[in-house]
Amino acid sequence: MMLKKMKDSKHMLTIGSILSLFVFGLFDSLKGSTISALLGELEFSYSLGGVIVMGQYAGYFAATFLAGRMLDHFGHKMTLIFAGICMLAGVMGYAASSALFLLLLSIFFIGMGLGTLELSGSNIITVYYPEKKGRYLNILTAVAGIGAILSPMIVSALFLRGLSWRMVYYSGIIVLLPVTVYFILIKSHTAHSNKQAGNAVKETIAKNALAPLFRNDFLLMYTANFLYMAAEMGIATWIVEFYIKESAGFAENSTGFLTLFYIGMTLGRLIGSVFVDRLGRRRSILFASAAAFACILAGIFGPSAYRGFVAVSGVFCSIIFPTATAVISGFPEGDSGRIQGFYFACGGLGGMFGPWIMGIVSDCLGIKWGIVLGSVFLAGIAGLCFRISD
């Protein structure tokens, strides 16, 4: 009977992880599709737009610490429920706000929900499917890509019908409510699911929870995730504005290029799930970051026909995050919830500062140079790969 309950819990949690990453992709890309409309309505600058996006990733950053502890002490089910509640509160508050403070507070809760969803969903895979985590994490993040692809398409359709960016966010409740209800209905045989799943090194991390922060291999991976999230979130936030302002002939399809970026992310992860473990995780990250760097530069400084290469960079960006997550989860020391919490926290910092710094650069030098900064972040990841081992 206990074995049957554990299997039921595993299957329901696996579905929960898929729903988590789908919702993550759907709402994480929503800011890029709506930021231009928000800035236009409220008459905010690029810098203020970057501050708003920074608020989301401040919430993401906070969630990675809180969710890591929740996973270890309360299990996956309660952590997922917490994420759903944060998302509902944040989305409703954001859609109703006009004052900068209220927008920041609301998007902070959205970010907390998103960070908790991503960490919880990824942790379910690393805990329950340790032998195939590289492949399954790429597939899981491809699910997030599907959500990210659908998001700008839905936003474009709603805008064409005359709906405001506020109504776009309100419509997201239609998705969030049933997903949160599913989280509540998950059968969980124990709150301490990570312990039950065979975390053999729990005692080591309990004695010294901060030790991984000072190990060179962990520091390298934290830095890589910071740079990656700064690049991806910065590009996803400003790519629509880039095509509107800097690419004559592409402005009318600017939202479509955000969709193309996430289509590339999804396809890249599906393809990457086949070869990353065979090719080697470090070499896969090195190739992907270098190729994405080249795509962005070609799209910005090459002939006008190459402008679409900025969006195509998503194909190569795609495998960096899930493959790096597989690398750090394979290190021989650490509690899976807490270690991944630190790792995701550094990604949250990247998500905070990347779009913000790119917004400042765009205000000073033009949106083109803001996007160039994203390629600099990717070049930094490529450099780190020479010091990372599989």
Side-chain angles (χ1 to χ4, degrees):
M1 180 64 71
M2 178 60 71
L3 181 61
K4 183 179 185 299
K5 288 183 178 179
M6 290 178 69
K7 287 182 177 178
D8 289 344
S9 176
K10 176 180 176 179
H11 293 156
M12 292 192 76
L13 284 169
T14 301
I15 294 171
S17 72
I18 294 170
L19 290 173
S20 296
L21 270 292
F22 176 76
V23 170
F24 175 84
L26 194 69
F27 283 88
D28 192 45
S29 67
L30 199 56
K31 64 185 182 303
S33 304
T34 58
I35 191 71
S36 291
L38 183 151
L39 296 181
E41 177 188 319
L42 302 179
E43 298 182 350
F44 287 168
S45 66
Y46 290 145
S47 298
L48 279 180
V51 169
I52 292 171
V53 175
M54 191 178 183
Q56 176 173 315
Y57 285 94
Y60 182 103
F61 176 74
T64 53
F65 285 104
L66 180 60
R69 289 187 171 275
M70 288 185 70
L71 284 169
D72 293 332
H73 293 287
F74 301 107
H76 293 109
K77 174 179 177 176
M78 293 305 298
T79 309
L80 290 171
I81 293 171
F82 171 76
I85 293 171
C86 285
M87 289 295 299
L88 284 167
V91 165
M92 288 188 289
Y94 189 71
S97 301
S98 293
L100 181 62
F101 173 76
L102 294 177
L103 286 168
L104 288 172
L105 181 62
S106 299
I107 206 167
F108 177 88
F109 278 102
I110 293 175
M112 183 170 284
L114 291 173
T116 305
L117 286 172
E118 187 177 30
L119 177 57
S120 301
S122 299
N123 186 256
I124 288 168
I125 297 301
T126 59
V127 167
Y128 287 100
Y129 304 94
E131 295 181 357
K132 297 181 178 179
K133 59 192 173 188
R135 179 181 182 184
Y136 287 171
L137 282 170
N138 271 282
I139 294 173
L140 187 66
T141 48
V143 172
I146 293 172
I149 290 168
L150 291 174
S151 182
M153 295 172 64
I154 294 170
V155 170
S156 181
L158 293 177
F159 279 170
L160 286 173
R161 290 178 176 269
L163 273 68
S164 68
W165 65 271
R166 298 178 187 278
M167 291 306 300
V168 169
Y169 271 89
Y170 277 130
S171 66
I173 298 171
I174 298 171
V175 175
L176 289 174
L177 270 177
V179 169
T180 304
V181 170
Y182 177 83
F183 292 158
I184 294 171
L185 296 177
I186 289 175
K187 297 177 181 178
S188 180
H189 60 279
T190 174
H192 298 277
S193 56
N194 284 356
K195 293 179 182 178
Q196 294 289 336
N199 192 343
V201 293
K202 188 84 171 178
E203 296 80 6
T204 302
I205 193 65
K207 292 178 182 178
N208 192 356
L210 296 179
L213 284 175
F214 304 101
R215 272 179 42 176
N216 186 58
D217 50 0
F218 281 97
L219 288 171
L220 289 172
M221 296 309 301
Y222 294 152
T223 304
N225 199 30
F226 173 90
L227 292 172
Y228 172 73
M229 292 296 288
E232 183 193 330
M233 294 302 102
I235 294 168
T237 298
W238 299 115
I239 191 172
V240 172
E241 190 70 9
F242 166 74
Y243 280 108
I244 290 173
K245 294 293 178 65
E246 295 288 337
S247 302
F250 293 97
E252 292 183 1
N253 297 316
S254 56
T255 305
F257 282 101
L258 179 60
T259 301
L260 178 61
F261 179 75
Y262 281 114
I263 288 174
M265 295 279 284
T266 304
L267 291 177
R269 283 167 176 167
L270 290 173
I271 296 169
S273 68
V274 176
F275 71 80
V276 291
D277 289 327
R278 298 177 184 177
L279 178 62
R281 294 164 185 166
R282 182 189 66 84
R283 281 181 288 183
S284 298
I285 295 169
L286 174 60
F287 166 75
S289 55
F293 167 81
C295 272
I296 293 172
L297 291 187
I300 293 174
F301 298 110
S304 59
Y306 288 11
R307 290 292 182 268
F309 274 66
V310 175
V312 172
S313 67
V315 173
F316 301 105
C317 288
S318 62
I319 65 169
I320 297 174
F321 173 75
T323 306
T325 303
V327 170
I328 197 169
S329 67
F331 287 167
E333 178 184 347
D335 179 296
S336 64
R338 194 165 295 149
I339 294 302
Q340 287 185 31
F342 286 133
Y343 171 74
F344 277 68
C346 290
L349 284 174
M352 284 171 61
F353 288 104
W356 177 57
I357 296 172
M358 289 169 71
I360 292 173
V361 171
S362 298
D363 270 336
C364 296
L365 302 176
I367 191 70
K368 176 175 71 174
W369 291 101
I371 299 295
V372 167
L373 186 58
S375 69
V376 174
F377 296 144
L378 290 164
I381 298 171
L384 288 174
C385 286
F386 293 102
R387 300 185 61 191
I388 296 171
S389 59
D390 282 328

